[in-house]
Structures are given as structure tokens and as C-alpha cells.
Amino acid sequence: MESQVDQLKVIFLPFFLAPSHQIPMVDTARLFAMHGVNVTIVNTSANALLFQKSIDRDANSGHQIKTHVLQFPSAQVGLPEGIENFNTATSLKDMVPKLFLGQSLLKKPIEQLFQDMQPDCIVSDLLHPWTVDSAAKLGVPRLVFHVTSCFSFCAETCVEQYKPHLSVNSDTEPFSLPGLPNKIEMTRFQIPDIPDEFNQIMILNKEAERRSYGAIFNSFYELEGAYEELHKINTGIKTWSVGPVSLWVNKDVSDKVERGNKEALKDHEWLNWLNAKASNSVLYVSFGTLTKLSEAQLIELAHGLEASGHQFIWVVRQKDKDQDEGWLEEFEKRVKESNKGLIIRGWAPQLLILEHPAVGGQVTHCGWNSFLEGVTAGLPMITWPIFAEQFYHEKLVTEVLKIGVAVGKKKWNRLSDKETTEVVKREDIEKALKFLMGSGEEAAEMRNRARELGNAARKAVESGGSSQSNFMGLINELKSLKSNRN
Ligand code: UDP
């Protein structure tokens, strides 16, 4: 047993406003605690509730892990109590600026916490660039936590550096991304179109990353090792891929069900439904925590699913108050009666569904967590990117790993752009579904590659695996930095 003086004390600071930033960081914090580190996760009250049960379970089993809860300044920024992330915001346009303001007001108490706790290391989401100075003041390493891939980091850096999109004459003409380990072609429509002020923020984040001690990725070497090497060259800092962290820490059913979800799941309809299905016969369709498809798109998707003839579980976000979804209720009733499809409204136990033997494929918006969870489950995918770095991930799936097919979404759009958003047609959806779930040779090869990648993911976190070795190396390095300081 390590003495308290030798024990590493690490603070984890997630980006509070998106569950998909918190989910992998909490998993990683739990991983540190499983390895004898004294862990504090900073969070705001409503967000903390999404994870508290797993953390309490870990603490009860002897791990030194706790949440430091801060009150979100809801009244001060004019938000209703309990709205502390984008997923719960009822109006993105009105609430997003208030959420950002609320988070920025917490900087002072967090700085004070750092001073009071005197950690040996700060693990900070990329989106808190100021923590690089906090760590420097304390004389301890800051590790940047990435919630996305090395691949998208490198692709994005390539676009910033070489501006290949300026060499083409139209938004749909393909151009290559120079300097990447694979030949990747994109169009201007697929490149993130972010406002200037946000671009400035991203530049600050990257500058802070270059001044950090290192970076942690929820990824594994066999998946995108060449891009991890390129990240090291691009930033000049150390990189540790330690994933898939979820596979490593979420071992029991309670952990999987309660991850990112404060309500215990009472309804097991999905499980009974899947248990009655043949292996690899069901598609899982989900767009993550942030995307709300327009009604026109939901209708096309429903038709595409039905016309494909394949079975599916479709996760539909809770409807807005003023939305009339009578057609969806009818559709739900119909596919339930024909036993072809199941709709889950709100939060689905995604980890459990993906690993169920009846699930044979995933329709994904290419958020990094969902992508990695699909990879871990050995599933081929239909890619349907919406925004952020999701179009880069589509390229990773379809052109590098070759474990999936694109549905044909052509244009990057902002989350709030519902009205102007392109609608993927039902025929294209049907075609992609029939291809992926069908008996063709190409799809069979994709399924094999996906299965092999799933095996590689499992090996990476086992004893002697790439992520396991990286993680132990990281812990040892932090310990030696601590003893040098002492
Ligand atoms: N998730 C879930 N159930 C849901 C929706 C999402 O468990 O109904 C989890 C999913 O497993 C993943 C995360 O939420 O871990 C979504 O993150 P991702 O990076 O895929 O997408 P984003 O939400 O950022 O678009």
C-alpha cells in the first residue's frame, strides 16, 4: 500500500456543457482511481448526478474517488435550475451563450480549488485552455484530455496549415488533405464551417495544448496509431492513447446502464425485444446527445428504415413541446406490430445495446464516443455525420478502416441550422441499410474487419495491450515527476 505522501493526487476538469465530453473523462478518472490514484472530478450539480452512482460504487469498493460539486450560476445567467448542458437546453439559440457564460463564471472557484487541493496533475478538457497557466502556477503537469480522435485532430490541423480547400473551385469539388498517412479526400461542404470567434477560441485551445505536458486520447494504437504519431509531431508534446476507457472500467451492467444517466432504467422492453432476435439481425440507429433531426429528416429516416426490411432500434430524442409527432406514433405502432422495429425515446442504454449479440450494425452520426463504442462491439457502420469533426470520422470509417458505408450526407451544418439543413432521402437510406445488412461480399468483408477491430480493442486494454502499457507508463511518469518535485 502506497503512503499518502507518495500517492498521486489528480484533479479532472471536464467541459461541463456536453455529456459526450464528460462521459469519457469520468470513465478515465475512474480508471486512474482503479490504479490507486486519489481522484477528484470537478462538476456542476445537475451534471454530477449523471455519474454519481458509479463514483459512489467505486468509492464504496475502496477506490479514492470523489466529485467536487460546484453550483452552476443559473440565476445569475438567466437559466432555469438544472439546465447545465446542451443536451437539456430547450432552446439552443437562447441558452448556449448563457451556458458558456455560466461555465466561465466558475473559473475563479475552480482556480481556488486547485490552490486548496495542490494536486500532482490536472487533467483538463481541451476546451479549458486557461488550466495550462493554473498548472504552471502550481508547478505540476497539465494533461489535455481529448474527447475526439487523433485522426480528426490531424485532419483539422492539415486544413488549417495547408488550406487545401482554397485550391478548388466549388464546394463540391474534392481536394486531398496533404501530409496525412492515408489519402483522404474531402469537399468544402464537409469542412467545419465555424464562426470566426469560435475559430479564435480553438486557436487558443491548441496553443494551450502545445504548452501542456501531454495529451490523453480515448483511443488505441491499433485503431489510429499513425495519427497518434502525427499528433506528437504536430504538437511537440507527449501523447497517451489509453482507450477504449469504457471497455476497461464499465464492467458491470449497472455501470453501463447508469453511465451518463441519472435515472435507473426501469423499462427492459428493449432487452426482451433483442433477446428474441437472431444474431446480427438488428441495426442500432442513434445520433448522440446533441443532434435533433428536422421533422422532414425524421420522416425520410422512418421510411428508409421501413423500406429496407431490416430490423432496427431507433433512438429518438425527446420531442420539443410544440412538435406534433402524430405520424411518428403511428409509425411506432406499425413497426411494433410487425415486430420490425423498436423506438426508444430519450436516453438509451447504448453500451448494452451495442454489445447485444442480436445487433449487427450501427447507423451513427460519427460522434467519437459512439464510433468507439461501435468499434468496441465489433460492428460495421452506416455513417451519417452532422457537425463538429464528424465528417472526418466518416472518412476514418469508410476510407481508412473500411468498416462502413456513408449514407450520403453531403454538407456540414450547425446544430441550430434545422431549417436549412439538407435532408437525406429515403431511397439513399434504404440503399445503405440494405448494403450493410445484406449478403454482399463487400459488406461481409466490412463486417470481418469490424470484428477484428473489436478484438483489437479488447486486447488493447488487457494486460500487455497497447493502451494498458501506455496507461501504466503514464502513471509511472506522473509518479516520477512527483518524486522529483518532492
Ligand atoms: N449515449 C447513450 N444513450 C443515448 C445517447 C447517447 O448512452 O441515448 C451516450 C453514448 O453511448 C456516447 C455519448 O452518449 O457515449 C454520445 O457521445 P458522442 O461522442 O457519440 O456524440 P455527441 O453526443 O457528442 O454528439
Side-chain angles (χ1 to χ4, degrees), residues 257-329:
V257 172
E258 288 161 10
R259 178 171 174 259
N261 178 30
K262 66 175 188 285
E263 309 291 342
L265 205 75
K266 291 173 205 86
D267 176 11
H268 295 291
E269 189 187 2
W270 66 271
L271 184 57
N272 297 332
W273 194 84
L274 278 180
N275 282 346
K277 302 291 175 195
S279 298
N280 297 320
S281 65
V282 176
L283 258 172
Y284 175 72
V285 184
S286 169
F287 294 85
T289 59
L290 302 173
T291 298
K292 277 191 181 169
L293 298 179
S294 65
E295 190 177 16
Q297 184 63 86
L298 290 172
I299 292 173
E300 288 304 299
L301 176 52
H303 280 287
L305 285 169
E306 208 171 8
S308 78
H310 289 289
Q311 307 181 98
F312 59 87
I313 288 189
W314 177 16
V315 186
V316 181
R317 298 282 310 274
Q318 296 292 12
K319 67 175 179 182
D320 294 336
K321 275 194 201 73
D322 53 351
Q323 227 168 330
D324 171 23
E325 283 183 352
W327 68 268
L328 185 55
E329 279 152 30

Side-chain angles (χ1 to χ4, degrees), residues 130-368:
W130 53 271
T131 53
V132 73
D133 296 317
S134 316
K137 265 188 243 159
L138 295 171
V140 298
R142 175 210 196 223
L143 298 177
V144 177
F145 189 81
H146 282 269
V147 297
T148 179
S149 60
C150 302
F151 179 85
S152 67
F153 176 94
C154 294
E156 193 182 279
T157 306
C158 161
V159 171
E160 282 162 10
Q161 202 174 346
Y162 301 108
K163 304 194 186 332
H165 54 300
L166 301 184
S167 66
V168 287
N169 296 318
S170 79
D171 291 334
T172 51
E173 187 183 333
F175 55 85
S176 293
L177 300 190
L180 297 186
N182 298 84
K183 182 171 173 358
I184 304 294
E185 287 198 332
M186 307 276 296
T187 66
R188 249 182 344 224
F189 267 158
Q190 298 171 324
I191 300 286
D193 171 23
I194 51 179
D196 266 357
E197 67 274 18
F198 197 68
N199 226 347
Q200 290 308 316
I201 295 174
M202 287 313 288
I203 290 169
L204 279 182
N205 294 337
K206 286 190 176 157
E207 276 171 12
E209 175 166 20
R210 290 193 183 91
R211 290 195 287 129
S212 299
Y213 187 80
I216 300 180
F217 280 93
N218 181 20
S219 187
F220 59 102
Y221 200 82
E222 294 71 13
L223 182 69
E224 48 159 5
Y227 293 88
E228 189 183 336
E229 297 303 334
L230 192 56
H231 174 272
K232 285 183 196 162
I233 295 169
N234 276 334
T235 56
I237 64 170
K238 299 186 180 195
T239 302
W240 291 271
S241 280
V242 299
V245 277
S246 170
L247 181 63
W248 205 340
V249 299
N250 293 304
K251 297 278 189 215
D252 69 47
V253 171
S254 306
D255 278 340
K256 290 176 188 171
V257 172
E258 288 161 10
R259 178 171 174 259
N261 178 30
K262 66 175 188 285
E263 309 291 342
L265 205 75
K266 291 173 205 86
D267 176 11
H268 295 291
E269 189 187 2
W270 66 271
L271 184 57
N272 297 332
W273 194 84
L274 278 180
N275 282 346
K277 302 291 175 195
S279 298
N280 297 320
S281 65
V282 176
L283 258 172
Y284 175 72
V285 184
S286 169
F287 294 85
T289 59
L290 302 173
T291 298
K292 277 191 181 169
L293 298 179
S294 65
E295 190 177 16
Q297 184 63 86
L298 290 172
I299 292 173
E300 288 304 299
L301 176 52
H303 280 287
L305 285 169
E306 208 171 8
S308 78
H310 289 289
Q311 307 181 98
F312 59 87
I313 288 189
W314 177 16
V315 186
V316 181
R317 298 282 310 274
Q318 296 292 12
K319 67 175 179 182
D320 294 336
K321 275 194 201 73
D322 53 351
Q323 227 168 330
D324 171 23
E325 283 183 352
W327 68 268
L328 185 55
E329 279 152 30
E330 271 173 39
F331 172 77
E332 183 173 8
K333 198 164 156 252
R334 201 165 60 240
V335 293
K336 217 170 168 180
E337 276 166 12
S338 64
N339 207 10
K340 278 282 185 195
L342 187 74
I343 291 186
I344 298 183
R345 284 185 187 264
W347 194 261
Q350 183 161 310
L351 288 181
L352 288 173
I353 294 177
L354 290 177
E355 71 183 26
H356 194 286
V359 174
Q362 183 187 16
V363 176
T364 177
H365 68 305
C366 301
W368 185 242

Side-chain angles (χ1 to χ4, degrees), residues 73-128:
S74 309
Q76 216 176 328
V77 299
L79 278 171
E81 287 289 323
I83 297 204
E84 298 176 7
N85 64 45
F86 303 145
N87 186 38
T88 47
T90 46
S91 151
L92 283 178
K93 207 162 164 234
D94 174 49
M95 291 183 171
V96 166
K98 294 177 182 171
L99 283 164
F100 271 107
L101 177 63
Q103 175 168 261
S104 70
L105 294 175
L106 294 174
K107 184 178 160 192
K108 231 175 162 178
I110 296 170
E111 291 254 41
Q112 188 57 50
L113 179 73
F114 291 160
Q115 288 297 330
D116 295 345
M117 286 196 59
Q118 296 286 317
D120 299 307
C121 172
I122 296 172
V123 179
S124 162
D125 192 288
L126 175 83
L127 302 185
H128 295 302

